[in-house]
Amino acid sequence: DSGVTQTPKHLITATGQRVTLRCSPRSGDLSVYWYQQSLDQGLQFLIQYYNGEERAKGNILERFSAQQFPDLHSELNLSSLELGDSALYFCASSGGPRQPQHFGDGTRLSIL
Amino acid sequence: GQQLNQSPQSMFIQEGEDVSMNCTSSSIFNTWLWYKQEPGEGPVLLIALYKAGELTSNGRLTAQFGITRKDSFLNISASIPSDVGIYFCAGQPRQGGSEKLVFGKGTKLTVNP
């Protein structure tokens, strides 16, 4: 158990819809990272938050947004969903720049 | 952008054999990490490396951070059936103090008992 909790485990929805993925980091970790895993692209970094502030952005679409709340949990919002957004979405957390990232078990998003 | 070339893509071995996989890049990385992923789960950290030349072991696993900072390898000795899974290398790029991880495409390991 990595200590990183992601909900829900599975999401099935339709094109054009909007979903919210939730992540609770390990106790004490201030940094939260979101990654997308697809068969063709592998694991890709989306965005990082540190103590409530956006720290770094990767290949995140404009239709996607995230935030980190005062209790340090984070949410990834995906809107105007397309078939190609079907993927596994992972959250990771770490205690700082020189600390390893620990991953949750992911949310599997299926767009029908 | 940064890319990690991980090889081999897959390995089929007999229980008890040793395994070696590696990652290379044209860019310099500050940190190298190795993860293992099993179906329905997230990547699980195996080994983290922070200094060029560093050699670190975790049980039957040994990993090294290359001297050039552009490569890393992972060895598994005396493989057992529960070693089955996909192994990923990941690196933190040097430029800009980035904390993001860049991942290799993975090595799928199958162990025949």
Side-chain angles (χ1 to χ4, degrees):
Chain A
D1 181 9
S2 68
V4 178
T5 303
Q6 289 188 247
T7 57
K9 199 163 179 63
H10 301 280
L11 258 181
I12 302 174
T13 189
T15 55
Q17 296 299 303
R18 171 190 168 94
V19 297
T20 297
L21 283 52
R22 182 187 169 103
C23 170
S24 293
R26 295 191 319 159
S27 177
D29 285 356
L30 298 179
S31 282
V32 169
Y33 312 78
W34 287 95
Y35 292 84
Q36 180 192 59
Q37 186 177 38
S38 61
L39 281 174
D40 55 341
Q41 295 291 322
L43 272 156
Q44 298 281 322
F45 170 72
L46 295 178
I47 196 164
Q48 177 199 356
Y49 277 80
Y50 176 82
N51 202 21
E53 300 290 324
E54 182 183 303
R55 174 69 67 94
K57 253 184 176 177
N59 301 322
I60 187 166
L61 300 172
E62 284 194 15
R63 299 183 286 109
F64 296 1
S65 64
Q67 53 186 326
Q68 186 179 26
F69 295 85
D71 66 352
L72 300 178
H73 92 271
S74 178
E75 293 180 356
L76 180 67
N77 301 296
L78 315 176
S79 61
S80 303
L81 287 167
E82 302 175 359
L83 292 176
D85 298 328
S86 295
L88 277 164
Y89 291 85
F90 287 104
C91 167
S93 75
S94 79
R98 295 284 283 175
Q99 299 297 316
Q101 294 177 27
H102 296 269
F103 284 75
D105 283 339
T107 293
R108 180 175 293 279
L109 177 64
S110 299
I111 313 298
L112 303 180
Chain B
Q2 300 101 356
Q3 284 189 339
L4 292 184
N5 301 307
Q6 185 172 351
S7 63
Q9 281 189 330
S10 61
M11 302 183 77
F12 297 83
I13 62 170
Q14 293 296 125
E15 182 176 358
E17 289 183 4
D18 297 343
V19 170
S20 185
M21 58 192 80
N22 69 84
C23 267
T24 61
S25 173
S26 58
S27 304
I28 291 175
F29 287 82
N30 277 341
T31 303
W32 283 92
L33 305 103
W34 287 90
Y35 290 87
K36 178 186 178 186
Q37 188 177 20
E38 298 183 49
E41 298 180 5
V44 174
L45 180 69
L46 300 174
I47 292 179
L49 303 157
Y50 297 102
K51 290 190 330 187
E54 180 180 354
L55 183 72
T56 297
S57 292
N58 177 8
R60 293 178 296 105
L61 278 60
T62 301
Q64 184 159 30
F65 190 145
I67 288 290
T68 64
R69 307 177 77 96
K70 295 181 179 181
D71 63 317
S72 177
F73 72 75
L74 174 71
N75 288 339
I76 306 174
S77 64
S79 59
I80 59 178
S82 63
D83 289 335
V84 165
I86 302 178
Y87 292 78
F88 291 98
C89 62
Q92 280 185 328
R94 184 176 73 171
Q95 67 251 47
S98 175
E99 295 172 43
K100 72 173 185 181
L101 290 179
V102 177
F103 280 84
K105 296 287 189 189
T107 295
K108 185 174 182 179
L109 180 63
T110 302
V111 180
N112 296 314

